[in-house]
Amino acid sequence: CNHIGNVLGVHFAWARLLFCGRELLGEETLSACGICEGSQLHLVVSEPRCVATASTDNTTRLWNADSGECFATLGGHAREVSCVTFSPDGARVLTASMDATAKLWSVDTGVCLRTYTGHASRALTSAVFSPGGERVLTASLDLTAKSFDTESGDCLQTFEGHTRAVNMAVFSPDTSMVLTASSDAAARLWNATTGERLHSMWHAYAVNSAVFSPDGRRALTASGDSTAVIWSADTGERLRTLDGHIRSVNSAVFSPDALYVLTAAADGTAKFWSSGSGDCIQNFQHAHLISSAVLSPGGMEIL
């Protein structure tokens, strides 16, 4: 059940505790999350624990994380699968492909449940769920991002304004905003409902990735100009520049408590930073470029 092409993406599924569509992390207290007596929590368990991989062989494969056994091959895209992610409840998988479509799959049956179309015959670079799973957001080489109703497949909004490929698009934790990263050197914040552009945040070169902090108050971008930058999501103001890589920064993510940032770069290093001071705390060296690096849900491990 091995892939016969390059693996372009990996995603894991596990048990999650949700409150109002937001995942609660191990180090958080219930009161700090606004949870009081009578609040309704949702425990979502995906068994067995799964790993999903996306490949240039046009397929996505699902693996048992404990045994390493491949238990499903999701075939249906006409070109490479560029990324894969699990739904918040772990029951479905979303894929994005170079064939200009995104697809929704059942983890249990491997059946394709929905195909999302509308991009102008150009490859999709990413596809993600909204925090509650009710919407899908895609990014494309056609210079746009689009949001879709997960169940109906209807396109709800198109985010237009970038002048080069959109490399990534994500929802804010409360789904009120969309953040896009583009090769035109800009990251942009949008009203998720109306499509109105709220702020543009500029680097010197292409923006490779962009994410929100867990509380949605800050945005984090990684760029070909060898920096990562923390921005205010309210004003678009530059708050902190993380400067220390000597080649393109390919990805940047916040730790679950947002106190730290992890970057991965083409200079063969991953760096761990204080988001408050901007100081580099730890350096992880590889022999060649690093395309991405992520933290475990508890923030104690790096992959």
Side-chain angles (χ1 to χ4, degrees):
C1 197
N2 293 328
H3 286 291
I4 58 173
N6 295 328
V7 177
L8 300 181
V10 180
H11 199 261
F12 299 86
W14 45 69
R16 295 168 174 176
L17 188 63
L18 304 178
F19 175 62
C20 294
R22 175 175 173 266
E23 182 179 356
L24 306 182
L25 303 174
E27 67 276 7
E28 295 180 302
T29 64
L30 296 181
S31 60
C33 299
I35 299 170
C36 56
E37 186 71 27
S39 296
Q40 185 175 14
L41 304 179
H42 298 275
L43 178 64
V44 178
V45 181
S46 177
E47 292 290 350
R49 294 187 303 151
C50 301
V51 175
T53 55
S55 172
T56 58
D57 66 6
N58 303 358
T59 71
T60 294
R61 297 182 192 271
L62 302 179
W63 311 78
N64 183 302
D66 296 316
S67 68
E69 177 187 1
C70 174
F71 65 87
T73 298
L74 312 180
H77 283 294
R79 295 189 61 191
E80 304 98 305
V81 182
S82 53
C83 79
V84 57
T85 187
F86 282 95
S87 60
D89 63 5
R92 294 179 291 183
V93 164
L94 178 66
T95 56
S97 171
M98 301 295 185
D99 67 8
T101 70
K103 290 181 181 291
L104 182 70
W105 311 79
S106 166
V107 169
D108 288 338
T109 66
V111 171
C112 181
L113 306 173
R114 193 88 61 244
T115 298
Y116 305 98
T117 62
H119 285 283
S121 302
R122 302 292 298 275
L124 299 193
T125 52
S126 75
V128 298
F129 288 99
S130 60
E134 70 280 353
R135 281 182 277 175
V136 163
L137 181 64
T138 56
S140 172
L141 297 184
D142 70 2
L143 319 187
T144 72
K146 291 180 181 290
S147 65
F148 298 86
D149 182 277
T150 302
E151 300 306 325
S152 70
D154 293 338
C155 181
L156 303 175
Q157 190 56 256
T158 298
F159 304 94
E160 298 181 277
H162 285 292
T163 58
R164 297 191 67 183
V166 181
N167 299 317
M168 189 173 180
V170 294
F171 284 104
S172 60
D174 65 0
T175 70
S176 66
M177 290 187 290
V178 163
L179 174 62
T180 54
S182 172
S183 293
D184 64 8
R188 291 194 162 101
L189 285 161
W190 313 77
N191 182 299
T193 302
T194 67
E196 176 190 3
R197 187 193 310 174
L198 304 174
H199 303 292
S200 294
M201 301 165 291
W202 293 91
H203 280 266
Y205 294 100
V207 182
N208 298 319
S209 76
V211 297
F212 284 98
S213 60
D215 64 5
R217 297 176 60 187
R218 290 175 289 173
L220 173 65
T221 55
S223 171
D225 64 11
S226 77
T227 70
V229 176
I230 300 172
W231 312 81
S232 167
D234 293 327
T235 65
E237 175 188 3
R238 182 183 292 241
L239 302 176
R240 188 83 61 205
T241 298
L242 308 180
D243 192 357
H245 288 289
I246 59 174
R247 295 188 66 187
S248 174
V249 182
N250 295 321
S251 75
V253 295
F254 282 104
S255 62
D257 58 11
L259 295 178
Y260 304 99
V261 166
L262 177 65
T263 56
D267 60 12
T269 66
K271 293 181 184 291
F272 197 58
W273 312 75
S274 165
S275 63
S277 68
D279 294 334
C280 181
I281 299 169
Q282 187 63 265
N283 188 71
F284 307 94
Q285 185 71 49
H286 278 257
H288 300 287
L289 73 84
I290 305 175
S291 57
S292 68
V294 295
L295 288 152
S296 64
M300 301 301 293
E301 297 171 306
I302 292 173
L303 174 64

